[in-house]
Amino acid sequence: MSKRLLAAAVAAVLAVAGCGGSEEASDPNTLKLWHYEGPDSAMGVAWAEAIKQFEATHPGVKVRFEEKGFEQIQKTASMVLNSKDAPDILEYNKGNATAGLLSKQGLLTDLSEEVAKRGWDKKLGPGIDTTAKYDERGVMGSGKWYGIPNYAEYVMVYYNKTMFDQQGLAAPKTFDELTAAMDKFAKAGVTPVALGGAEYPAAQLFYQLALTKADREWVDRFQRYTGPVDFHDNTWVFGAETFAKWLREGYISKDSAGVKAEDMGLSFMQGKHPIMVSGSWWYGRVQAQVKDFEWAAVPWPGMTSGSSGNLWVVPKGSKNKQLAYDFIEITMSPAIQDKLRDAGGIPVAPSATPATDPRTKQLNDDFQALVDDDRLAFYPDWPAPGFYDAQVSSVQKVITGQIGAHEALTELADYYKENTASVGK
């Protein structure tokens, strides 16, 4: 597995290296920017406007934007950022296994001085800033600032209200209501949950199910190494056994093992499945693209995956750091923050003018309630480098029947133990 991923990473890096020389990358009149948000997403809409504002306020400077894939950056960042082809600024995944690892490797610029100068810390505030700071071990929550999030996100339950109404079902606000709804759809011959097992969604659902029984102490032990982690405790076992039960009951399809995240989202937006458990990063697209049915979303019942959004990071080798800082400043401005919110996102520093769209207001109100109730549980792959691929693989094997739920927990436990041993508990 590791050799295959390494070969893929090397191939990707070589492909990137072949499409741009070092002179272009260091042009003082070009800001080279990478991110992986689709143009219809709330972030994509807001950042397109930020690029326009940046170029308008920096005469003679152009932004050379390259859209990358989430998986592409996830697998190749360490190698690309250590090369002459690194961008000046990019969106990067938050957490110990990603931004934390790169900070520990010395590949990211320490932004602490710029944060203090521009007041970004005051805009973010406690909780949202957890994923922006990393200590010398690469552990989030304290230390130096290595990234700036300008949005927030969380996992929720999207549902096709039209299909729910046809079945006489109310909004699935509790776990029992969600289960009852899935059961009714399955008995009617409809696979209720859209899922993608080839990428993050299935592993995320596996974690979500465990989170229905979790509390802050459990999350901190797993995510921040504050105590021993037992992958066969009641919380993990509930999540794993419930996932396996959902497969047996036909709530999720055994064919979902090969489905990518994009195809999962499209299947929900096309009305093929009445439920999708995924993040607020879909919200803007669902809002913009779903025309054939009524839809709504409710928070996951219990703690939920969520945090600040991904980070703007500045590679250590960036030749245009001041331009990168100026771009971050624009994305943190009230105008861009409101643009992000009105496109279906969750801003971290909006203006005092409230959202006018009821769905957008609900999205942001629900997030604030999660923050107030201390229910954000970060994401399952954060604790260890490479844990993302390990989780996708293990959960895929559960879906295809290669291993059972408890065997998957053993695989995750072994990987976690081996790859967090050097951090210290």
Side-chain angles (χ1 to χ4, degrees):
M1 180 71 171
S2 59
K3 289 182 180 177
R4 182 178 64 79
L5 287 174
L6 179 58
V10 171
V13 171
L14 292 175
V16 172
C19 63
S22 57
E23 289 186 10
E24 186 176 17
S26 61
D27 181 354
N29 293 316
T30 299
L31 178 70
K32 188 176 177 183
L33 182 151
W34 293 359
H35 74 66
Y36 45 74
E37 306 295 344
D40 292 333
S41 70
M43 286 67 73
V45 168
W47 296 345
E49 181 61 29
I51 289 172
K52 290 180 185 177
Q53 289 195 19
F54 177 88
E55 291 183 339
T57 56
H58 293 72
V61 179
K62 292 294 181 185
V63 175
R64 184 156 72 87
F65 163 58
E66 295 181 25
E67 183 177 347
K68 303 294 180 181
F70 174 89
E71 297 274 328
Q72 181 183 10
I73 289 181
Q74 175 89 6
K75 290 182 171 61
T76 66
S78 291
M79 300 176 76
V80 172
L81 296 193
N82 207 19
S83 76
K84 68 182 188 321
D85 298 290
D88 296 306
I89 180 174
L90 77 154
E91 177 189 14
Y92 193 58
N93 315 339
K94 64 236 179 266
N96 301 340
T98 45
L101 177 62
L102 293 195
S103 71
K104 185 179 178 181
Q105 292 173 336
L107 295 175
L108 301 181
T109 300
D110 175 5
L111 303 175
S112 302
E113 184 178 336
E114 208 66 27
V115 167
K117 186 196 307 182
R118 296 180 185 254
W120 293 335
D121 52 343
K122 295 179 177 61
K123 288 191 173 186
L124 291 173
I128 296 298
D129 66 9
T130 299
T131 60
K133 295 183 287 188
Y134 297 87
D135 64 19
E136 66 282 355
R137 303 170 299 162
V139 177
M140 65 182 178
S142 64
K144 297 175 180 177
W145 291 75
Y146 285 101
I148 302 296
N150 70 352
Y151 69 100
E153 61 184 30
Y154 65 100
V155 170
M156 65 190 79
V157 180
Y158 294 84
Y159 67 100
N160 183 321
K161 192 172 184 302
T162 300
M163 293 178 75
F164 267 65
D165 289 346
Q166 290 168 351
Q167 293 289 340
L169 294 164
K173 293 182 179 179
T174 69
F175 196 75
D176 287 345
E177 288 170 347
L178 178 62
T179 303
M182 292 188 300
D183 195 56
K184 192 161 189 179
F185 280 114
K187 286 175 178 173
V190 177
T191 302
V193 182
L195 194 65
E199 294 176 349
Y200 67 84
Q204 210 165 73
L205 178 60
F206 194 93
Y207 181 57
Q208 286 293 122
L209 289 167
L211 289 177
T212 59
K213 301 295 184 182
D215 57 20
R216 174 57 58 198
E217 183 184 355
W218 184 92
V219 170
D220 282 344
R221 287 200 307 271
F222 173 58
Q223 294 279 1
R224 302 180 71 179
Y225 323 122
T226 59
V229 175
D230 178 5
F231 279 85
H232 293 279
D233 64 14
N234 291 337
T235 304
W236 277 113
V237 167
F238 175 83
E241 290 184 346
T242 304
F243 188 91
K245 180 181 178 182
W246 284 18
L247 276 166
R248 290 195 305 272
E249 299 290 341
Y251 300 166
I252 51 183
S253 171
K254 294 177 181 177
D255 295 332
S256 64
V259 175
K260 294 190 173 183
E262 175 69 11
D263 295 322
M264 173 197 73
L266 289 174
S267 70
F268 174 76
M269 291 188 281
Q270 291 163 357
K272 295 178 181 177
H273 302 278
I275 297 166
M276 178 173 74
V277 180
S278 197
S280 52
W281 50 88
W282 288 103
Y283 207 90
R285 284 187 66 185
V286 173
Q287 194 165 13
Q289 295 179 21
V290 171
K291 307 296 182 187
D292 298 332
F293 60 85
E294 289 294 317
W295 66 277
V298 292
W300 178 261
M303 298 199 77
T304 191
S305 298
S307 68
S308 74
N310 288 314
L311 307 173
W312 289 124
V313 299
V314 178
K316 190 78 168 181
S318 170
K319 301 296 192 295
N320 294 308
K321 291 182 181 179
Q322 287 301 321
L323 293 179
Y325 304 152
D326 288 352
F327 182 79
I328 294 172
E329 178 77 7
I330 289 173
T331 68
M332 295 290 282
S333 68
I336 298 300
Q337 288 283 290
D338 285 359
K339 184 89 173 178
L340 190 151
R341 179 197 64 196
D342 294 341
I346 305 168
V348 295
S351 72
T353 306
T356 55
D357 177 73
R359 275 205 187 106
T360 300
K361 185 177 184 304
Q362 187 67 53
L363 172 74
N364 284 270
D365 287 349
D366 286 347
F367 178 76
Q368 191 56 52
L370 290 171
V371 172
D372 292 344
D373 294 342
D374 193 24
R375 287 167 54 193
L376 295 178
F378 310 124
Y379 291 89
D381 59 299
W382 284 11
F387 208 12
Y388 175 91
D389 295 301
Q391 289 179 0
V392 170
S393 175
S394 292
V395 176
Q396 266 186 321
K397 287 186 285 188
V398 174
I399 296 172
T400 59
Q402 291 174 263
I403 62 174
H406 289 264
E407 290 172 287
L409 291 176
T410 297
E411 286 190 355
L412 297 180
D414 290 346
Y415 190 95
Y416 183 92
K417 183 178 180 180
E418 180 181 349
N419 289 277
T420 59
S422 63
V423 178
K425 302 298 186 287

